Structure formats: structure tokens, C-alpha cells
């Protein structure tokens, strides 16, 4: 069994990006600028956004954090997005999800200009991805592809089972794994809460990508020997014996599944760090595109 070490690969990617940014600075060019908008004070969201800002600093990007109160109206948020769309200094920005109930997430995603949508959530970017056109790939699926590529995991002709159909991970992942090229060229089954015989389907998979958010859902008896296991799930489970009062776990019963897998991602330290690295990569791509159009 080989560990798909997201931390290690994410650090490699950050080093590559930092080298690119250093070249830009030498040439007197503008460095990439990423903005993040957060509405409210959800603990997990604040942690994610904080690590994104720190990562920007690490690679030499400029970053802007826009914090808005949880009482922010949809209109106020849309106005802020319009400002960011029109600000030529900002190459890309993200609006951290989930948003408070009074705000329509779909409207917010539609409001972000596709050229600055480094999360890859806008329908125009999603459509381009589905058609194999050059675009921003959502950061988590992009990170998974990068892990498979850098560890030289064979995907051609393999049966990939994706668990979960979210627009952020499950659905794009199912499209990307079935595309021509590598990583890709696999036969994909997309499973979800209404899938019958889900255990039987998973047991036939060469590659399992679980993005369900149910702690320890995937058990050793559900996977075949030498399967490749990608665990996207990340859940805080309350535990009074821990200093923080909780521990982080994924969708996979790591201890037992890892004994059967050929490759597996740990949680934490697998897909998570890759997501942030690929967000930086998308921002670098946005900067290059803007430079070419200037």
C-alpha cells in the first residue's frame, strides 16, 4: 500500500508556483492576487479561508480577505461581488461556502465573473470542463487528478466508482475520470443516496472516490484487494478525550481499508492540502490569462 501524500505533493506544487511568481517579480510583472469573501463566522470556513490566505503569502501572491457579518443581505453580497469583478487588480476570488440561509448560493455563483471564478463553480466553467475545453477545474477534483498523475496511478480502462453527486466534487469528478486522456479514460459509476446495491457496486471498483461526508462509511469488506481509495470526506467528530474536543475523520475506515488498498489518501493530509494548492494554481492561470488579454 502506498500513501497518496497530499501534504507532500501540495508543498511541491507551492514550490513550483513560488518559482513562477519569483520570475514574474524579476520581470517587473504584477503578481497574482487572490481575494476570499467569507460571510459569517463558521469555524470550519474561517479555518479554511485562513489557510488559503497563509498559502498565498507562502507562494508570493497578494491576497485580500473580505469578512462580512452573518446578517449580510443577498444584495450586499452581490454588490461586493460586483466590486471584485470590476477590480482589475484582483485576478481571482472565491466566496466561501456554505452561505447563511438568507442568501441564494446559486445567485452568488452566477454573479462571479467566469474569468475570476478560480473555484470553477460558474456554469460556464463547469460546461467547458464537461466539454474538455480549457477552463478552471474545481479545486478539489483538480487536486485529485494531480495526485493520481504525480503518483502515476493507472486509470485507463479502470472502473471508477464515485460516491456522492455534489456539484463541487462528485459530479465533476465523474466527468473528469471519464474524459479522454490521463488521468481519465476510466469507466465511471456515479453512486448516491438512492443507489441500490451500492456495496456490490463499490466492491467491483478499481478506484473509489468517496465524497459523502459520512464518517467511516467505507469499510474494508466493501472494497476489493488493491483498489485505489480517494477519501474526500472530512468530518469533525466530537470526542471529549481529545484536547480540541473533536477529531477529524474521513469517509473511509482508514485503519482497515488501508490493509487492502494499493493506494489510499489519509484524512487529514490527503485531498485537503491539494484543494488549496490547486486554488493557487487556478489563480496563477487567471493571472496568465489576464496578462495575455491586457
Amino acid at each position: 500500500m502506498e500513501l497518496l501524500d497530499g501534504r507532500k505533493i501540495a508543498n511541491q506544487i507551492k514550490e513550483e508556483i513560488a518559482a513562477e511568481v519569483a520570475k514574474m517579480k524579476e520581470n517587473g510583472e504584477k503578481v497574482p492576487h487572490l481575494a476570499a469573501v467569507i460571510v459569517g463566522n463558521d469555524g470550519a470556513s474561517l479555518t479554511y479561508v485562513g489557510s488559503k490566505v497563509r498559502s498565498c503569502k507562502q507562494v508570493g501572491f497578494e491576497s485580500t480577505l473580505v469578512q462580512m457579518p452573518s446578517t449580510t443581505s443577498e444584495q450586499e453580497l452581490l454588490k461586493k461581488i460586483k466590486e471584485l469583478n470590476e477590480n482589475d487588480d484582483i485576478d481571482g476570488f472565491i466566496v466561501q461556502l456554505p452561505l447563511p440561509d438568507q442568501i441564494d448560493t446559486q445567485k452568488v455563483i452566477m454573479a462571479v465573473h467566469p474569468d475570476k471564478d478560480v473555484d470553477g463553480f460558474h456554469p460556464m466553467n463547469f460546461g467547458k470542463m464537461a466539454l474538455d475545453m480549457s477552463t478552471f477545474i474545481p479545486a478539489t477534483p483538480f487536486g485529485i487528478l494531480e495526485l493520481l498523475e504525480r503518483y502515476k496511478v493507472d486509470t485507463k480502462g479502470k472502473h471508477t466508482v464515485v460516491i456522492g453527486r455534489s456539484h463541487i466534487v462528485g459530479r465533476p469528478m465523474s466527468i473528469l475520470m471519464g474524459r479522454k486522456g490521463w488521468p481519465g479514460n476510466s469507466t465511471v459509476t456515479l453512486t448516491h443516496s438512492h443507489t441500490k446495491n451500492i456495496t456490490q457496486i463499490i466492491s467491483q471498483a478499481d478506484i473509489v472516490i468517496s465524497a459523502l461526508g459520512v464518517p467511516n462509511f467505507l469499510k474494508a469488506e466493501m472494497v476489493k484487494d488493491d483498489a485505489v481509495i480517494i477519501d474526500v470526506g472530512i468530518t469533525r467528530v466530537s470526542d471529549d478525550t481529545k484536547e480540541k474536543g473533536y477529531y477529524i475523520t474521513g469517509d473511509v475506515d482508514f485503519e482497515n481499508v488501508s490493509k487492502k488498498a494499493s493506494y489510499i489518501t489519509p484524512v487529514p493530509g490527503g485531498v485537503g492540502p491539494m484543494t488549496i494548492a490547486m486554488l493557487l494554481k487556478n489563480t496563477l492561470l487567471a493571472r496568465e490569462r489576464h496578462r495575455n488579454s491586457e
Side-chain angles (χ1 to χ4, degrees), residues 61-106:
F61 284 10
E62 284 182 34
S63 69
T64 299
L65 178 57
V66 180
Q67 285 188 277
M68 302 178 82
S70 55
T71 52
T72 300
S73 70
E74 190 178 280
Q75 220 43 50
E76 286 168 326
L77 179 57
L78 292 173
K79 188 178 170 217
K80 179 55 71 179
I81 289 170
K82 188 170 184 284
E83 281 172 28
L84 294 170
N85 282 335
E86 291 169 358
N87 184 341
D88 289 341
D89 191 49
I90 287 171
D91 296 295
F93 68 95
I94 62 155
V95 180
Q96 185 66 40
L97 303 179
L99 291 164
D101 294 342
Q102 74 271 19
I103 298 171
D104 181 343
T105 302
Q106 204 60 52

Side-chain angles (χ1 to χ4, degrees), residues 132 144-145 148 153-162 170-190 204-209 224 228 230:
D132 269 349
I144 293 167
L145 292 180
L148 293 171
V153 176
D154 186 17
T155 60
K156 187 179 174 184
K158 303 294 184 186
H159 182 196
T160 296
V161 171
V162 179
R171 201 167 300 183
M173 211 61 241
S174 67
I175 294 167
L176 292 162
M177 290 302 286
R179 69 182 179 166
K180 282 184 179 174
W182 178 70
N185 278 327
S186 69
T187 303
V188 183
T189 305
L190 179 61
Q204 296 162 7
D206 302 303
I207 300 166
V208 180
I209 300 170
K224 69 177 187 181
V228 175
I230 308 287

Side-chain angles (χ1 to χ4, degrees), residues 130-147:
L131 293 168
D132 269 349
M133 293 165 76
S134 173
T135 189
F136 298 120
I137 296 173
T140 301
F142 197 8
I144 293 167
L145 292 180
E146 197 74 16
L147 267 182

Side-chain angles (χ1 to χ4, degrees), residues 157-230:
K158 303 294 184 186
H159 182 196
T160 296
V161 171
V162 179
I163 309 170
R165 55 180 165 182
S166 76
H167 295 166
I168 294 172
V169 183
R171 201 167 300 183
M173 211 61 241
S174 67
I175 294 167
L176 292 162
M177 290 302 286
R179 69 182 179 166
K180 282 184 179 174
W182 178 70
N185 278 327
S186 69
T187 303
V188 183
T189 305
L190 179 61
T191 64
H192 45 78
S193 55
H194 294 278
T195 303
K196 289 178 179 171
N197 308 325
I198 192 166
T199 303
Q200 189 189 346
I201 293 167
I202 293 166
S203 71
Q204 296 162 7
D206 302 303
I207 300 166
V208 180
I209 300 170
S210 187
L212 202 60
V214 177
N216 299 315
F217 167 80
L218 197 71
K219 303 278 192 277
E221 58 271 19
M222 293 164 78
V223 302
K224 69 177 187 181
D225 288 342
D226 293 330
V228 175
I229 309 293
I230 308 287

